[in-house]
Amino acid sequence: MPNLTLYHAAPSRSSVTLWMLEELGEPYDIELIKLSEGENLKPDYLAINPMGKVPALKHGATILTEVAAICTYLADAFPEKKLNLPIGTPRRGVYLKWLFFGPGCLEPAIIDRAAPRKEEARRAMLGYGDFDTTINVVAKALEQGPWLMGEQFTAADVVIGSNIRWSMMFKLIPERKEFLDYAARIAARPAAQRAEAKDKELGAAA
Ligand SMILES: N[C@@H](CCC(=O)N[C@@H](CS)C(=O)NCC(=O)O)C(=O)O
């Protein structure tokens, strides 16, 4: 029986962790949570994630939540898969920066742009500052490529790459060459294709 179980709704933010698991290539189980039926708010699931959100990951006796934390954790737990920059690697700091930049800056910048607040917050109050700066910072980091950390594809690309992909799909970010090329490179990855196909199948069955 696989030691890894993903609590997942297809498609949703947990699809990012599904992709990460496919990149990892370790066996895993999926426990589907039907958001439309409020299964995420039932006591059984709240015992797993009291936030009532997917994803959650069970690894042995460890349960953790939050997309970027799960991706960071998996990359570190299976270092032989080379999806992390291990402790002691000088550029691990930059790698961690991108893992935190996803949920801390890029995602909130995109969501705030898509669903603006009635009263705009001051730039200094927002962790991401402003949308244009955030987008420019990511575009600059992708200028050289192929991946955020250069030649090595890492968990940071799963986190940031997922944000870029869905926000391009919904036309929430500018169609810059850096993003188009990055999204095309991601789309060509067999693990991303497997995760997408699995999600379609699970979504259709639900
Ligand atoms: N900060 C969380 C966000 C997770 C999240 O918002 N998940 C959505 C699916 S896209 C969810 O579970 N929504 C159900 C609900 O809020 O009722 C993470 O990064 O894992």
Side-chain angles (χ1 to χ4, degrees):
M1 201 172 95
N3 210 18
L4 291 163
T5 302
L6 177 67
Y7 295 85
H8 175 52
S12 76
R13 282 180 175 87
S14 59
S15 304
V16 182
T17 46
L18 180 69
W19 173 24
M20 181 66 196
L21 284 163
E22 285 295 330
E23 292 285 350
L24 206 66
E26 286 289 312
Y28 63 92
D29 275 336
I30 290 181
E31 192 78 45
L32 276 181
I33 304 296
K34 290 197 185 111
L35 301 180
S36 56
E37 292 179 20
E39 285 180 358
N40 52 317
L41 301 174
K42 299 223 163 108
D44 280 1
Y45 186 69
L46 289 175
I48 289 162
N49 185 0
M51 293 294 285
K53 296 269 189 187
V54 290
L57 179 82
K58 190 157 171 265
H59 181 209
T62 302
I63 291 179
L64 69 155
T65 64
E66 297 300 314
V67 168
I70 292 171
C71 292
T72 309
Y73 173 86
L74 285 173
D76 283 345
F78 299 89
E80 69 281 6
K81 308 287 180 176
K82 303 224 176 308
L83 292 165
N84 72 341
L85 273 82
I87 291 177
T89 312
R91 294 189 74 226
R92 180 168 165 94
V94 180
Y95 162 73
L96 288 178
K97 185 274 289 283
W98 288 118
L99 283 161
F100 283 71
F101 197 89
C105 295
L106 185 56
E107 185 181 312
I110 296 168
I111 298 282
D112 282 356
R113 169 61 65 98
R117 298 155 199 249
K118 280 203 183 111
E119 201 175 319
E120 213 173 297
R122 279 184 294 115
R123 186 184 193 284
M125 280 176 75
L126 296 171
Y128 62 84
D130 63 81
F131 179 84
D132 289 342
T133 304
T134 308
I135 292 297
N136 286 338
V137 164
V138 179
K140 177 117 189 64
L142 292 172
E143 233 168 47
Q144 198 126 35
W147 308 112
L148 280 170
M149 298 307 299
E151 290 303 319
Q152 186 189 353
F153 176 89
T154 68
D157 292 297
V158 176
V159 170
I160 297 288
S162 296
N163 277 321
I164 296 295
R165 286 187 96 190
W166 67 256
S167 56
M168 281 189 70
M169 205 186 319
F170 292 109
K171 306 214 174 299
L172 299 176
I173 59 170
E175 284 209 338
R176 291 174 64 150
K177 183 175 181 333
E178 298 90 332
F179 299 149
L180 288 167
D181 291 353
Y182 186 51
R185 284 192 290 274
I186 290 172
R189 291 187 72 80
Q193 291 169 4
R194 282 196 301 275
E196 215 166 283
K198 213 173 238 193
D199 241 7
K200 274 204 183 110
E201 203 180 296
L202 292 170

